[in-house]
Amino acid sequence: MTAFGTDRILFSVDYPYATNNAGTAFLSSLPVSPADRERIAHGNADALLRLPAA
């Protein structure tokens, strides 16, 4: 995160080999601001894939 910044990190889980519960627990425990957590969780992927705002 310090090398690339939160704008370059995408969240993913390795389903079915890892549960979504474990992945979301990991994401929730990250020591980042709520804005950075949102970017990592979906904002960066939305921008990369040019998804429309919900």
Side-chain angles (χ1 to χ4, degrees):
M1 208 165 73
T2 57
F4 299 108
T6 55
D7 291 339
R8 304 267 184 208
I9 299 174
L10 301 177
F11 175 72
S12 177
V13 294
D14 195 15
Y15 181 81
Y17 303 105
T19 65
N20 287 336
N21 294 337
T24 53
F26 171 77
L27 181 64
S28 296
S29 71
L30 290 177
V32 297
S33 70
D36 284 345
R37 184 172 288 110
E38 247 184 77
R39 281 188 205 100
I40 293 168
H42 65 86
N44 294 336
D46 293 348
L48 178 68
L49 300 172
R50 297 187 177 126
L51 299 175

